[in-house]
Coordinates of all heavy atoms in Angstrom, one line a residue:
M226 N -12.3 89.3 -32.9 CA -13.1 88.3 -32.2 C -12.5 87.9 -30.9 O -11.4 87.4 -30.9 CB -13.3 87.2 -33.2 CG -13.9 85.9 -32.9 SD -14.0 84.7 -34.2 CE -13.7 85.7 -35.7
H227 N -13.3 87.9 -29.8 CA -12.7 87.6 -28.5 C -13.1 86.3 -27.9 O -12.5 85.8 -27.0 CB -12.8 88.7 -27.6 CG -12.1 89.9 -28.0 ND1 -11.2 90.6 -27.1 CD2 -11.9 90.6 -29.2 CE1 -10.6 91.6 -27.8 NE2 -11.1 91.6 -29.0
V228 N -14.3 85.8 -28.3 CA -14.7 84.6 -27.8 C -15.3 83.7 -29.0 O -16.1 84.2 -29.8 CB -15.9 84.8 -26.8 CG1 -16.5 83.4 -26.3 CG2 -15.4 85.6 -25.6
V229 N -14.8 82.5 -29.1 CA -15.4 81.5 -30.0 C -15.9 80.4 -29.3 O -15.1 79.7 -28.6 CB -14.3 81.2 -31.1 CG1 -14.8 80.3 -32.2 CG2 -13.7 82.4 -31.7
V230 N -17.2 80.0 -29.6 CA -17.8 78.8 -29.0 C -18.0 77.8 -30.1 O -18.5 78.1 -31.2 CB -19.1 79.1 -28.4 CG1 -19.7 77.8 -27.8 CG2 -18.9 80.2 -27.2
G231 N -17.4 76.6 -29.9 CA -17.5 75.6 -30.9 C -18.8 74.8 -31.0 O -19.7 74.9 -30.1
P232 N -18.9 73.9 -32.0 CA -20.1 73.1 -32.1 C -20.0 71.9 -31.2 O -19.0 71.6 -30.6 CB -20.0 72.6 -33.6 CG -18.5 72.5 -33.8 CD -17.9 73.7 -33.0
I233 N -21.1 71.2 -31.0 CA -21.2 70.0 -30.2 C -20.5 68.9 -30.9 O -20.9 68.6 -32.1 CB -22.6 69.7 -29.8 CG1 -23.1 70.9 -28.8 CG2 -22.6 68.4 -29.0 CD1 -24.5 70.7 -28.4
V234 N -19.6 68.2 -30.4 CA -18.9 67.0 -31.0 C -18.9 65.9 -30.0 O -19.2 66.1 -28.8 CB -17.4 67.4 -31.3 CG1 -17.4 68.5 -32.4 CG2 -16.6 67.8 -30.0
T235 N -18.7 64.7 -30.5 CA -18.6 63.5 -29.6 C -17.3 63.4 -29.1 O -16.3 63.6 -29.7 CB -19.0 62.3 -30.4 OG1 -18.1 62.1 -31.5 CG2 -20.4 62.3 -30.9
R236 N -17.2 63.1 -27.8 CA -15.9 63.0 -27.0 C -16.1 62.1 -25.8 O -17.0 62.4 -25.1 CB -15.4 64.3 -26.7 CG -14.0 64.2 -26.0 CD -13.4 65.5 -25.5 NE -13.3 66.5 -26.6 CZ -13.8 67.8 -26.6 NH1 -14.3 68.2 -25.5 NH2 -13.7 68.6 -27.6
D237 N -15.2 61.2 -25.6 CA -15.2 60.4 -24.4 C -16.5 59.7 -24.1 O -17.1 59.7 -23.0 CB -14.8 61.2 -23.1 CG -13.4 61.8 -23.2 OD1 -12.6 61.2 -23.9 OD2 -13.2 62.9 -22.7
G238 N -17.2 59.2 -25.2 CA -18.5 58.5 -25.0 C -19.6 59.5 -24.8 O -20.7 59.0 -24.3
G239 N -19.4 60.7 -25.0 CA -20.5 61.7 -24.7 C -20.5 62.8 -25.7 O -19.9 62.7 -26.8
F240 N -21.0 64.0 -25.4 CA -21.2 65.1 -26.3 C -20.6 66.4 -25.6 O -20.9 66.6 -24.4 CB -22.6 65.3 -26.6 CG -23.2 64.1 -27.3 CD1 -24.0 63.2 -26.4 CD2 -23.2 63.9 -28.6 CE1 -24.5 62.1 -27.0 CE2 -23.7 62.8 -29.1 CZ -24.4 61.9 -28.4
A241 N -19.7 67.1 -26.3 CA -19.1 68.2 -25.7 C -18.9 69.3 -26.7 O -19.1 69.1 -27.8 CB -17.7 67.9 -25.1
F242 N -18.6 70.6 -26.2 CA -18.3 71.7 -27.1 C -17.0 72.4 -26.4 O -16.9 72.3 -25.2 CB -19.5 72.7 -27.2 CG -19.8 73.3 -25.9 CD1 -19.3 74.6 -25.5 CD2 -20.8 72.7 -25.1 CE1 -19.8 75.2 -24.3 CE2 -21.2 73.3 -23.8 CZ -20.7 74.5 -23.5
D243 N -16.3 73.0 -27.2 CA -15.0 73.7 -26.8 C -15.3 75.2 -27.0 O -16.1 75.7 -27.7 CB -13.8 73.2 -27.6 CG -13.6 71.7 -27.5 OD1 -14.0 71.1 -26.5 OD2 -13.2 71.1 -28.5
S244 N -14.3 76.0 -26.3 CA -14.4 77.4 -26.6 C -13.0 78.0 -26.6 O -12.1 77.3 -26.2 CB -15.2 78.1 -25.4 OG -14.6 77.8 -24.2
W245 N -12.9 79.1 -27.1 CA -11.5 79.7 -27.2 C -11.6 81.2 -26.9 O -12.6 81.9 -27.2 CB -11.0 79.7 -28.6 CG -9.7 80.3 -28.8 CD1 -8.5 79.7 -28.6 CD2 -9.5 81.6 -29.2 NE1 -7.4 80.6 -28.9 CE2 -8.1 81.8 -29.2 CE3 -10.2 82.7 -29.6 CZ2 -7.4 83.1 -29.5 CZ3 -9.6 83.9 -29.9 CH2 -8.3 84.1 -29.9
T246 N -10.7 81.7 -26.1 CA -10.5 83.1 -25.7 C -9.1 83.4 -25.8 O -8.2 82.5 -25.7 CB -11.0 83.4 -24.3 OG1 -10.2 82.6 -23.4 CG2 -12.5 83.1 -24.1
P247 N -8.8 84.8 -26.1 CA -7.3 85.1 -26.3 C -6.5 84.9 -25.0 O -5.4 84.5 -25.0 CB -7.4 86.5 -26.6 CG -8.7 86.9 -27.0 CD -9.6 85.9 -26.4
D248 N -7.2 85.0 -23.8 CA -6.5 84.8 -22.5 C -6.2 83.4 -22.2 O -5.0 83.0 -21.8 CB -7.4 85.4 -21.4 CG -7.6 86.9 -21.5 OD1 -6.8 87.5 -22.3 OD2 -8.6 87.3 -21.0
K249 N -7.2 82.5 -22.4 CA -7.0 81.1 -22.0 C -6.7 80.2 -23.1 O -6.3 79.0 -23.0 CB -8.3 80.5 -21.4 CG -8.6 81.3 -20.0 CD -9.9 80.7 -19.5 CE -10.2 81.4 -18.2 NZ -11.4 81.0 -17.6
G250 N -6.8 80.6 -24.4 CA -6.7 79.7 -25.5 C -7.8 78.8 -25.7 O -8.9 79.1 -25.3
L251 N -7.5 77.5 -26.2 CA -8.6 76.6 -26.4 C -8.9 75.9 -25.1 O -8.0 75.4 -24.4 CB -8.1 75.6 -27.4 CG -9.1 74.5 -27.8 CD1 -10.3 75.1 -28.6 CD2 -8.4 73.5 -28.7
T252 N -10.2 75.8 -24.7 CA -10.6 75.2 -23.5 C -11.5 74.1 -23.9 O -12.5 74.3 -24.6 CB -11.4 76.2 -22.6 OG1 -10.6 77.3 -22.3 CG2 -11.8 75.5 -21.3
L253 N -11.2 72.8 -23.6 CA -12.0 71.7 -23.9 C -13.2 71.6 -23.0 O -13.0 71.8 -21.7 CB -11.2 70.3 -23.8 CG -10.0 70.3 -24.7 CD1 -9.3 69.0 -24.5 CD2 -10.4 70.4 -26.2
G254 N -14.4 71.4 -23.5 CA -15.6 71.4 -22.7 C -15.8 70.0 -22.0 O -15.2 69.0 -22.4
Y255 N -16.7 70.0 -21.0 CA -17.2 68.8 -20.3 C -17.9 67.9 -21.2 O -18.7 68.4 -22.0 CB -18.0 69.3 -19.1 CG -18.6 68.1 -18.3 CD1 -17.8 67.4 -17.4 CD2 -19.9 67.8 -18.5 CE1 -18.4 66.4 -16.7 CE2 -20.4 66.7 -17.8 CZ -19.7 66.1 -16.9 OH -20.2 65.0 -16.2
A256 N -17.7 66.6 -21.2 CA -18.5 65.7 -22.0 C -19.8 65.2 -21.3 O -19.7 64.7 -20.2 CB -17.6 64.4 -22.3
Y257 N -20.9 65.6 -21.8 CA -22.2 65.3 -21.3 C -22.7 63.9 -21.9 O -22.4 63.6 -23.0 CB -23.3 66.3 -21.6 CG -23.0 67.7 -21.0 CD1 -22.2 68.6 -21.7 CD2 -23.4 68.0 -19.8 CE1 -21.8 69.8 -21.1 CE2 -23.1 69.2 -19.2 CZ -22.3 70.1 -19.8 OH -22.0 71.3 -19.3
R258 N -23.4 63.1 -21.1 CA -23.9 61.9 -21.6 C -25.0 62.0 -22.6 O -25.2 61.1 -23.5 CB -24.4 61.0 -20.4 CG -23.3 60.6 -19.4 CD -23.8 59.8 -18.4 NE -24.5 58.6 -18.8 CZ -25.1 57.7 -18.0 NH1 -24.9 57.8 -16.7 NH2 -25.8 56.7 -18.5
R259 N -25.8 63.0 -22.4 CA -27.0 63.2 -23.4 C -26.7 64.4 -24.2 O -26.3 65.4 -23.7 CB -28.3 63.3 -22.6 CG -28.7 62.1 -21.8 CD -30.0 62.3 -20.9 NE -30.4 63.6 -20.8 CZ -31.6 64.1 -20.8 NH1 -32.6 63.2 -21.1 NH2 -32.0 65.3 -20.6
I260 N -27.0 64.3 -25.5 CA -26.8 65.5 -26.4 C -27.7 66.7 -26.0 O -27.3 67.9 -26.1 CB -27.1 65.1 -27.8 CG1 -26.5 66.1 -28.8 CG2 -28.5 64.8 -28.1 CD1 -26.3 65.7 -30.2
E261 N -28.9 66.4 -25.4 CA -29.8 67.5 -25.0 C -29.1 68.3 -23.9 O -29.2 69.5 -23.9 CB -31.1 67.0 -24.4 CG -32.0 66.3 -25.5 CD -31.6 64.8 -25.7 OE1 -30.7 64.3 -24.9 OE2 -32.2 64.2 -26.6
D262 N -28.4 67.6 -23.0 CA -27.7 68.4 -22.0 C -26.5 69.2 -22.6 O -26.3 70.4 -22.1 CB -27.1 67.4 -20.9 CG -28.2 66.6 -20.2 OD1 -29.3 67.1 -20.1 OD2 -27.8 65.6 -19.6
A263 N -25.8 68.7 -23.5 CA -24.8 69.5 -24.2 C -25.3 70.7 -24.9 O -24.8 71.8 -24.8 CB -24.0 68.6 -25.2
H264 N -26.5 70.6 -25.6 CA -27.1 71.7 -26.2 C -27.5 72.8 -25.2 O -27.3 74.0 -25.3 CB -28.3 71.2 -27.0 CG -28.0 70.8 -28.4 ND1 -27.5 71.5 -29.4 CD2 -28.0 69.5 -28.8 CE1 -27.3 70.8 -30.4 NE2 -27.6 69.5 -30.1
Y265 N -28.1 72.3 -24.1 CA -28.6 73.2 -23.0 C -27.3 74.0 -22.4 O -27.4 75.2 -22.2 CB -29.2 72.5 -21.9 CG -29.8 73.4 -20.8 CD1 -31.0 74.0 -20.9 CD2 -29.0 73.5 -19.7 CE1 -31.5 74.8 -20.0 CE2 -29.4 74.4 -18.7 CZ -30.7 75.0 -18.7 OH -31.1 75.9 -17.7
A266 N -26.3 73.3 -22.1 CA -25.1 73.9 -21.6 C -24.5 74.9 -22.6 O -23.9 75.9 -22.1 CB -24.1 72.8 -21.2
R267 N -24.4 74.6 -23.8 CA -23.8 75.4 -24.9 C -24.6 76.7 -24.9 O -24.1 77.8 -25.0 CB -23.8 74.7 -26.2 CG -23.1 75.5 -27.3 CD -22.9 74.7 -28.6 NE -22.3 75.4 -29.7 CZ -23.0 76.2 -30.6 NH1 -24.3 76.2 -30.6 NH2 -22.3 76.9 -31.5
K268 N -25.9 76.6 -25.0 CA -26.8 77.8 -25.0 C -26.5 78.7 -23.8 O -26.5 79.9 -23.9 CB -28.2 77.4 -25.1 CG -28.6 76.9 -26.5 CD -30.1 76.5 -26.5 CE -30.4 75.8 -27.8 NZ -31.8 75.3 -27.9
A269 N -26.5 78.0 -22.6 CA -26.2 78.8 -21.4 C -24.9 79.5 -21.5 O -24.7 80.7 -21.0 CB -26.3 77.9 -20.2
E270 N -23.9 78.8 -21.9 CA -22.5 79.4 -22.1 C -22.5 80.6 -23.0 O -22.0 81.6 -22.7 CB -21.6 78.3 -22.6 CG -20.1 78.8 -22.8 CD -19.4 79.0 -21.4 OE1 -19.9 78.6 -20.4 OE2 -18.3 79.7 -21.5
I271 N -23.3 80.5 -24.1 CA -23.3 81.5 -25.2 C -24.0 82.8 -24.5 O -23.5 83.9 -24.6 CB -24.0 81.2 -26.4 CG1 -23.2 80.2 -27.1 CG2 -24.4 82.3 -27.2 CD1 -23.9 79.4 -28.3
R272 N -25.1 82.6 -23.7 CA -25.8 83.7 -23.1 C -25.0 84.3 -22.0 O -25.0 85.5 -21.9 CB -27.1 83.1 -22.5 CG -28.3 82.9 -23.6 CD -29.6 82.6 -22.9 NE -30.4 81.9 -23.9 CZ -30.9 80.8 -23.8 NH1 -30.8 80.0 -22.8 NH2 -31.7 80.3 -24.8
S273 N -24.4 83.5 -21.3 CA -23.5 83.9 -20.2 C -22.4 84.8 -20.7 O -22.1 85.9 -20.1 CB -22.9 82.7 -19.4 OG -22.0 83.2 -18.4
R274 N -21.7 84.4 -21.7 CA -20.5 85.1 -22.2 C -21.1 86.4 -22.9 O -20.4 87.4 -22.8 CB -19.8 84.3 -23.2 CG -19.0 83.2 -22.5 CD -18.0 82.5 -23.5 NE -17.3 81.5 -22.9 CZ -16.1 81.5 -22.4 NH1 -15.5 82.7 -22.4 NH2 -15.5 80.5 -21.9
A275 N -22.2 86.3 -23.5 CA -22.8 87.5 -24.2 C -23.1 88.6 -23.2 O -22.8 89.8 -23.4 CB -24.0 87.2 -25.0
A276 N -23.5 88.2 -22.0 CA -23.9 89.1 -20.9 C -22.6 89.7 -20.3 O -22.6 90.9 -19.8 CB -24.7 88.4 -19.9
R277 N -21.5 88.9 -20.1 CA -20.4 89.3 -19.5 C -19.4 90.1 -20.3 O -18.6 90.9 -19.7 CB -19.6 88.1 -18.9 CG -20.2 87.5 -17.7 CD -19.4 86.4 -17.2 NE -19.3 85.3 -18.2 CZ -18.6 84.2 -18.1 NH1 -17.8 84.1 -17.0 NH2 -18.5 83.4 -19.0
F278 N -19.4 89.9 -21.6 CA -18.4 90.5 -22.4 C -19.0 91.4 -23.5 O -20.0 91.1 -24.1 CB -17.6 89.4 -23.2 CG -16.8 88.5 -22.4 CD1 -17.2 87.2 -22.2 CD2 -15.7 88.9 -21.8 CE1 -16.5 86.4 -21.3 CE2 -14.9 88.1 -20.9 CZ -15.3 86.8 -20.7
A279 N -18.4 92.6 -23.7 CA -18.9 93.5 -24.7 C -18.2 93.3 -26.0 O -18.5 93.8 -27.0 CB -18.6 95.0 -24.2
H280 N -17.2 92.3 -26.0 CA -16.5 92.0 -27.3 C -17.3 91.1 -28.1 O -18.2 90.4 -27.7 CB -15.2 91.4 -26.9 CG -14.2 92.2 -26.0 ND1 -13.7 93.4 -26.5 CD2 -13.8 92.0 -24.7 CE1 -13.0 93.9 -25.5 NE2 -13.1 93.1 -24.5
P281 N -17.0 91.0 -29.4 CA -17.7 90.1 -30.3 C -17.6 88.7 -29.8 O -16.6 88.3 -29.4 CB -17.1 90.4 -31.6 CG -16.3 91.7 -31.5 CD -15.9 91.8 -30.1
M282 N -18.6 87.9 -30.2 CA -18.6 86.4 -29.9 C -19.1 85.8 -31.2 O -20.0 86.2 -31.8 CB -19.4 86.2 -28.7 CG -19.4 84.7 -28.4 SD -20.5 84.3 -27.0 CE -22.0 84.6 -27.6
V283 N -18.4 84.6 -31.4 CA -18.9 83.8 -32.6 C -19.3 82.4 -32.0 O -18.5 81.8 -31.2 CB -17.8 83.7 -33.6 CG1 -18.2 82.7 -34.7 CG2 -17.5 85.0 -34.2
A284 N -20.5 82.0 -32.3 CA -21.0 80.6 -32.0 C -21.0 79.8 -33.4 O -21.7 80.1 -34.2 CB -22.3 80.7 -31.4
C285 N -20.0 78.9 -33.4 CA -19.9 78.1 -34.7 C -20.8 76.9 -34.7 O -21.0 76.2 -33.7 CB -18.4 77.7 -34.8 SG -17.3 79.1 -34.8
S286 N -21.3 76.6 -35.9 CA -22.2 75.4 -36.0 C -21.5 74.1 -36.5 O -21.9 73.1 -36.3 CB -23.2 75.7 -37.1 OG -23.9 76.8 -36.6
T287 N -20.3 74.3 -37.1 CA -19.5 73.1 -37.6 C -18.1 73.3 -37.1 O -17.6 74.3 -36.8 CB -19.6 73.1 -39.1 OG1 -18.8 74.2 -39.7 CG2 -20.9 73.0 -39.6
L288 N -17.4 72.1 -37.1 CA -16.0 72.1 -36.8 C -15.1 72.9 -37.7 O -14.1 73.5 -37.3 CB -15.5 70.6 -36.7 CG -14.3 70.3 -35.9 CD1 -14.3 70.9 -34.5 CD2 -14.1 68.8 -35.8
D289 N -15.5 72.9 -39.0 CA -14.8 73.7 -40.0 C -14.9 75.2 -39.7 O -13.9 75.9 -39.7 CB -15.3 73.4 -41.5 CG -14.8 72.1 -41.9 OD1 -13.8 71.5 -41.4 OD2 -15.4 71.6 -42.9
E290 N -16.1 75.6 -39.4 CA -16.3 77.1 -39.0 C -15.4 77.4 -37.7 O -14.8 78.4 -37.7 CB -17.8 77.3 -38.6 CG -18.7 77.6 -39.7 CD -20.1 77.9 -39.1 OE1 -20.3 78.3 -37.9 OE2 -21.0 77.6 -39.9
F291 N -15.4 76.5 -36.8 CA -14.6 76.7 -35.5 C -13.2 76.9 -35.8 O -12.5 77.8 -35.4 CB -14.9 75.6 -34.6 CG -14.4 75.8 -33.2 CD1 -14.7 76.8 -32.4 CD2 -13.5 74.8 -32.7 CE1 -14.2 77.0 -31.1 CE2 -13.0 74.9 -31.4 CZ -13.3 76.0 -30.6
S292 N -12.6 76.0 -36.7 CA -11.2 75.9 -37.0 C -10.9 77.2 -37.8 O -9.9 77.8 -37.6 CB -10.9 74.7 -37.8 OG -11.0 73.6 -37.1
S293 N -11.7 77.6 -38.8 CA -11.5 78.8 -39.6 C -11.6 80.1 -38.7 O -10.8 81.0 -38.9 CB -12.6 78.9 -40.7 OG -12.4 77.9 -41.6
A294 N -12.5 80.1 -37.8 CA -12.6 81.3 -36.9 C -11.4 81.5 -36.1 O -10.8 82.5 -35.9 CB -13.9 81.2 -36.0
L295 N -10.8 80.4 -35.5 CA -9.6 80.4 -34.8 C -8.4 80.8 -35.7 O -7.6 81.6 -35.2 CB -9.4 79.1 -34.1 CG -10.4 78.7 -33.1 CD1 -10.0 77.4 -32.3 CD2 -10.7 79.8 -32.1
A296 N -8.4 80.2 -36.9 CA -7.2 80.5 -37.7 C -7.2 82.0 -38.2 O -6.2 82.6 -38.3 CB -7.2 79.6 -39.0
N297 N -8.4 82.6 -38.4 CA -8.6 83.9 -38.9 C -8.4 84.9 -37.7 O -8.0 86.0 -38.0 CB -9.9 84.1 -39.6 CG -10.0 83.4 -40.8 OD1 -9.0 83.1 -41.5 ND2 -11.2 83.1 -41.2
D298 N -8.6 84.5 -36.5 CA -8.6 85.5 -35.4 C -7.2 85.8 -35.0 O -7.0 87.0 -34.6 CB -9.4 84.9 -34.2 CG -9.6 85.9 -33.1 OD1 -9.9 87.1 -33.4 OD2 -9.2 85.6 -32.0
S299 N -6.3 84.9 -35.0 CA -4.9 85.2 -34.4 C -3.9 84.4 -35.2 O -4.2 83.4 -35.7 CB -4.9 84.9 -32.9 OG -3.6 85.1 -32.4
D300 N -2.7 85.0 -35.2 CA -1.7 84.3 -35.9 C -0.8 83.5 -34.9 O 0.3 83.0 -35.3 CB -0.7 85.3 -36.6 CG -1.5 85.9 -37.8 OD1 -2.3 85.2 -38.4 OD2 -1.1 87.1 -38.2
T301 N -1.2 83.5 -33.7 CA -0.4 82.7 -32.7 C -0.7 81.2 -32.9 O -1.9 80.8 -33.1 CB -0.7 83.2 -31.3 OG1 -2.0 82.9 -31.0 CG2 -0.4 84.7 -31.1
E302 N 0.2 80.4 -32.4 CA 0.0 78.9 -32.5 C -1.0 78.5 -31.4 O -1.7 77.6 -31.5 CB 1.4 78.3 -32.2 CG 1.3 76.8 -32.3 CD 1.0 76.3 -33.7 OE1 1.3 76.9 -34.7 OE2 0.4 75.2 -33.8
R303 N -1.1 79.3 -30.3 CA -2.0 79.0 -29.2 C -3.4 79.1 -29.7 O -4.3 78.4 -29.1 CB -1.7 80.1 -28.1 CG -2.5 79.8 -26.9 CD -2.0 80.8 -25.9 NE -3.0 80.7 -24.7 CZ -3.2 81.6 -23.9 NH1 -2.5 82.8 -23.9 NH2 -4.1 81.5 -22.9
A304 N -3.7 79.9 -30.7 CA -5.1 80.1 -31.1 C -5.6 78.9 -32.0 O -6.7 78.7 -32.1 CB -5.2 81.4 -32.0
R305 N -4.6 78.2 -32.6 CA -5.1 77.1 -33.5 C -5.3 75.8 -32.8 O -4.5 75.3 -32.0 CB -4.1 76.9 -34.6 CG -3.9 78.1 -35.5 CD -3.1 77.8 -36.6 NE -3.0 79.0 -37.6 CZ -2.3 80.0 -37.4 NH1 -1.3 80.0 -36.5 NH2 -2.3 81.0 -38.3
P306 N -6.5 75.2 -33.0 CA -6.8 73.9 -32.3 C -6.0 72.8 -33.0 O -5.6 72.9 -34.1 CB -8.3 73.8 -32.6 CG -8.6 74.4 -33.8 CD -7.6 75.7 -33.8
H307 N -5.6 71.9 -32.2 CA -4.9 70.7 -32.7 C -5.8 69.5 -32.7 O -5.8 68.7 -31.8 CB -3.6 70.5 -31.8 CG -2.8 71.7 -31.9 ND1 -1.9 71.9 -32.9 CD2 -2.5 72.6 -30.9 CE1 -1.2 73.0 -32.7 NE2 -1.6 73.5 -31.5
F308 N -6.6 69.4 -33.7 CA -7.6 68.3 -33.8 C -6.9 67.2 -34.5 O -6.2 67.4 -35.5 CB -8.8 68.7 -34.6 CG -9.6 69.8 -34.0 CD1 -9.7 71.0 -34.5 CD2 -10.3 69.5 -32.7 CE1 -10.5 72.0 -33.9 CE2 -11.0 70.5 -32.1 CZ -11.1 71.7 -32.7
S309 N -7.0 66.0 -34.1 CA -6.5 64.8 -34.7 C -7.6 64.1 -35.4 O -8.7 64.0 -34.8 CB -5.7 63.9 -33.8 OG -6.6 63.5 -32.7
P310 N -7.5 63.6 -36.6 CA -8.6 62.9 -37.3 C -8.9 61.7 -36.6 O -8.0 61.0 -36.0 CB -8.0 62.7 -38.7 CG -6.5 62.9 -38.6 CD -6.3 63.7 -37.4
T311 N -10.1 61.3 -36.6 CA -10.6 60.1 -36.0 C -10.1 58.9 -36.9 O -10.2 58.9 -38.1 CB -12.1 60.0 -36.0 OG1 -12.6 61.1 -35.3 CG2 -12.6 58.8 -35.4
P312 N -9.4 57.9 -36.2 CA -8.8 56.8 -37.0 C -9.9 56.0 -37.6 O -11.0 55.8 -37.0 CB -8.1 56.0 -36.0 CG -8.5 56.5 -34.7 CD -9.1 57.8 -34.8
A313 N -9.7 55.5 -38.8 CA -10.7 54.6 -39.5 C -10.8 53.3 -38.8 O -9.8 52.8 -38.2 CB -10.3 54.4 -40.9
L314 N -12.0 52.8 -38.7 CA -12.2 51.5 -38.1 C -11.8 50.4 -39.0 O -11.9 50.5 -40.2 CB -13.7 51.3 -37.7 CG -14.2 52.3 -36.6 CD1 -15.7 52.1 -36.4 CD2 -13.5 52.0 -35.3
P315 N -11.2 49.3 -38.5 CA -10.8 48.2 -39.4 C -12.0 47.6 -40.0 O -13.0 47.5 -39.4 CB -10.1 47.3 -38.5 CG -10.2 47.7 -37.1 CD -10.8 49.1 -37.1
A316 N -11.8 47.2 -41.3 CA -13.0 46.5 -42.0 C -13.2 45.1 -41.6 O -12.4 44.4 -41.0 CB -12.7 46.6 -43.5

């Protein structure tokens, strides 16, 4: 698998998606203010990469799928995302 596109997640007060390639590793995506804009950009990214690359591509729907795809694709530390859990809000 040569391209992995992650799901839309909340980041920096907006919505973003990440991608991974063997050459660049994990690339954090731009945070959009509206979720509709993030969905549009993700779809455009998937279509663009599918047109440019003959290699397989995976578009993940969940963060677990994204993490599993990266862990299964390569044994290098660079391939594994380093997600930190969201801290719990005080009660």
Side-chain angles (χ1 to χ4, degrees):
M226 162 184 350
H227 291 232
V228 177
V229 182
V230 178
I233 294 176
V234 296
T235 56
R236 181 182 304 131
D237 298 331
F240 304 92
F242 63 93
D243 302 329
S244 60
W245 180 87
T246 61
D248 299 339
K249 295 181 182 177
L251 184 66
T252 303
L253 300 179
Y255 175 79
Y257 296 89
R258 290 181 55 178
R259 298 179 342 137
I260 194 166
E261 295 86 2
D262 294 339
H264 278 288
Y265 182 85
R267 184 175 180 266
K268 287 178 187 177
E270 181 73 14
I271 290 168
R272 286 188 195 121
S273 170
R274 288 188 185 265
R277 288 186 295 178
F278 298 107
H280 301 295
M282 182 182 62
V283 175
C285 301
S286 300
T287 66
L288 201 51
D289 287 339
E290 276 181 26
F291 189 57
S292 297
S293 293
L295 297 185
N297 292 335
D298 187 51
S299 177
D300 290 329
T301 65
E302 186 63 27
R303 184 176 171 200
R305 292 193 176 86
H307 299 284
F308 297 111
S309 57
T311 304
L314 296 174

